[in-house]
Amino acid sequence: MAASALAALAGPSLAGQGPVKIGVLNDRASVYSTITGEGSAVAARMAVEDFGGELFGKPVEVLVADHMHKPDVGSAIARRWFDVDGVGAIFDIYSSGVALAVQKLAEEKDRILVVSMASSRDISGKNCSPNGMQWANDGYAVANLTVKGSTTPERNTWYSLTVDYAAGHSIEADAKRLIEKNGGKFLGAVRFPLNTADFSSFLLQAQNSGAKNIAHIGGGADLINGIKQADEFGLAAGGQQFVPFSLTTVDVYGLGNKATANMPAVLSYYWGENEETQKFADRFKARFGKMPTDPQANVYSAVLHYLKAVKAAGTTETKAVLRQMKETPVNDFFTKNATIRADGRLMRDMYYAVVKKPEEMQHPDDLLTLVKKYPAVEVFIPAEESECPLLNPKAAAAGQ
């Protein structure tokens, strides 16, 4: 018993002397693997190398695994990493269900989870955790900037095609509130099942609504099928604008700028922003063969900030590292003086962008026009509207 007590007391200091291990947990073989996948692991390794490659005289180790979009699989991997392999922090995820499960486990095990990007506001909302963070955008931010950027006096009516699962419903609800807040009208919505091949009946309902903006809330193959069939349906010719809420640079590459021209994208990282962002993209592409996505750049940012915090704290002990991460502004090649809010949300600036027409492109990677940069306070859910008890006293009182 005395030996056990001694080991417990020695734990933090021993952790500080041992190798620092981090995990990159994401989709490596399915629908979102091109957005995160091995590219996120490459970004994490680049962050480790740029940091210097070692801490406490030992190399920093990066473990990688595929959660297959299954919360039980993701939790099992995270549990093994925490309990057996000594991983102090997990990064990426890019799946709301897996993120929520792993965040709960991270709190139980007193470890750290940093989600690069996920749709569910619950991660930093009602299920927020002192051990969890969201680094890039979320469903609220995407809905907010997409609505702001796409609504004009002439185009202020909306109809939504929404994927039929919890995250889709949540984004649709946010979008409806934001549309009405911005003076627009939400005329209705239709729900489609995940992995829909034929959007014709849904597009017909959207067309018959008369809405000027047809929102598409969904990603992956659903988004690609929706964009292709909206073009075939002739929505644009009828004066309606197809507005995807989750368009990525990967989608633009896959579909081409002709099919996606003028469509919106909400992102924190784009290589064409400045010399620093382009330099990172060139290094990444030289190593991986592709340009980095927004989530992959955010994995780099989060890993680098974590390593800086461990070094400053002088230990891998979770509470000390968390305190250092949250007290220190986040600065890297595309993040400037961002701070981590009490709900775990990284308060970073975000861009509203649109896809360039083919004739506007100066080279094959010249995909987007950055229309407007929004400060964090205008992007993410206001504290007074949050359901996170760590951030909003009203939410805390309601949970008692």
Side-chain angles (χ1 to χ4, degrees):
M1 188 169 178
S4 298
L6 182 62
L9 289 171
S13 103
L14 288 175
Q17 300 303 313
V20 174
K21 297 182 181 181
I22 63 172
V24 175
L25 182 61
N26 61 23
D27 175 356
R28 298 183 57 77
S30 185
V31 63
Y32 296 127
S33 59
T34 54
I35 300 171
T36 58
E38 177 59 19
S40 288
V42 169
R45 295 185 190 109
M46 288 176 66
V48 171
E49 291 169 16
D50 289 351
F51 175 76
E54 63 178 39
L55 273 165
F56 312 126
K58 297 180 181 179
V60 176
E61 299 178 27
V62 180
L63 283 64
V64 180
D66 188 343
H67 56 52
M68 298 188 290
H69 292 278
K70 297 178 180 179
D72 58 337
V73 172
S75 294
I77 293 167
R79 188 179 298 276
R80 184 180 72 246
W81 280 354
F82 292 152
D83 291 347
V84 179
D85 297 318
V87 168
I90 292 175
F91 299 85
D92 202 10
I93 304 287
Y94 206 82
S95 167
S96 293
V98 178
L100 287 164
V102 174
Q103 180 167 269
K104 183 178 180 181
L105 180 65
E107 185 171 354
E108 290 174 3
K109 298 291 183 178
D110 195 28
R111 301 299 169 88
I112 295 170
L113 171 67
V114 186
V115 179
S116 65
M117 195 178 296
S119 297
S120 177
R121 280 201 288 112
D122 291 348
I123 297 166
S124 56
K126 64 182 181 181
N127 296 116
C128 67
S129 165
N131 296 64
M133 289 164 248
Q134 279 189 291
W135 216 252
N137 66 39
D138 55 33
Y140 180 94
V142 169
N144 186 14
L145 296 198
T146 301
V147 169
K148 284 180 177 176
S150 303
T151 299
T152 66
E154 299 78 26
R155 292 189 171 278
N156 66 351
T157 53
W158 291 77
Y159 188 88
S160 181
L161 311 183
T162 305
V163 64
D164 194 13
Y165 59 71
H169 303 170
S170 174
I171 296 173
E172 181 192 295
D174 283 334
K176 182 177 185 294
R177 284 194 298 271
L178 292 161
I179 287 164
E180 292 170 348
K181 183 178 178 181
N182 281 273
K185 295 180 180 179
F186 188 81
L187 303 183
V190 62
R191 305 278 171 79
F192 63 85
L194 190 66
N195 294 322
T196 291
D198 185 1
F199 277 87
S200 57
S201 65
F202 308 119
L203 287 166
L204 182 61
Q205 292 180 64
Q207 194 172 48
N208 289 339
S209 75
K212 292 296 184 181
N213 292 313
I214 308 302
H216 184 284
I217 300 173
D222 289 331
L223 176 61
I224 291 170
N225 289 335
I227 290 175
K228 287 179 178 177
Q229 291 170 39
D231 184 52
E232 295 166 1
F233 232 73
L235 288 186
Q240 293 177 300
Q241 178 175 250
F242 192 81
V243 185
F245 273 50
S246 59
L247 191 71
T248 70
T249 50
V250 169
D251 301 316
V252 179
Y253 277 123
L255 291 163
N257 280 62
K258 184 177 179 181
T260 56
N262 296 319
M263 290 184 181
V266 173
L267 66 175
S268 57
Y269 168 74
Y270 177 60
W271 50 83
E273 180 182 359
N274 57 44
E275 187 176 337
E276 278 189 286
T277 55
Q278 186 64 55
K279 188 179 294 185
F280 174 80
D282 292 342
R283 290 174 54 214
F284 185 93
K285 188 174 183 179
R287 178 174 300 203
F288 189 57
K290 299 176 182 178
M291 298 296 268
T293 65
D294 191 11
Q296 289 163 354
N298 274 278
V299 169
Y300 175 98
S301 172
V303 169
L304 185 63
H305 189 69
Y306 171 78
L307 296 176
K308 289 177 181 178
V310 172
K311 182 178 181 180
T315 177
T316 55
E317 194 270 321
T318 297
K319 287 181 175 57
V321 175
L322 280 170
R323 182 167 56 250
Q324 196 68 42
M325 290 181 76
K326 293 177 181 180
E327 290 178 354
T328 307
V330 180
N331 282 289
D332 51 60
F333 72 93
F334 75 109
T335 315
K336 306 303 176 187
N337 294 316
T339 56
I340 301 168
R341 203 165 61 173
D343 57 351
R345 155 52 52 204
L346 179 64
M347 297 298 287
R348 58 154 65 254
D349 299 341
M350 299 286 295
Y351 273 108
Y352 174 81
V354 295
V355 179
K356 288 186 174 183
K357 298 175 183 176
E359 60 269 25
E360 296 171 336
M361 299 170 65
Q362 297 182 22
H363 52 80
D365 295 321
D366 184 23
L367 304 183
L368 305 177
T369 296
L370 299 178
V371 177
K372 184 175 180 179
K373 191 174 191 176
Y374 286 87
V377 69
E378 296 181 23
V379 176
F380 301 105
I381 189 167
E384 62 271 17
E385 294 180 22
S386 172
E387 296 178 277
C388 174
L390 300 172
L391 179 66
N392 186 352
K394 291 182 179 179
Q400 290 178 350

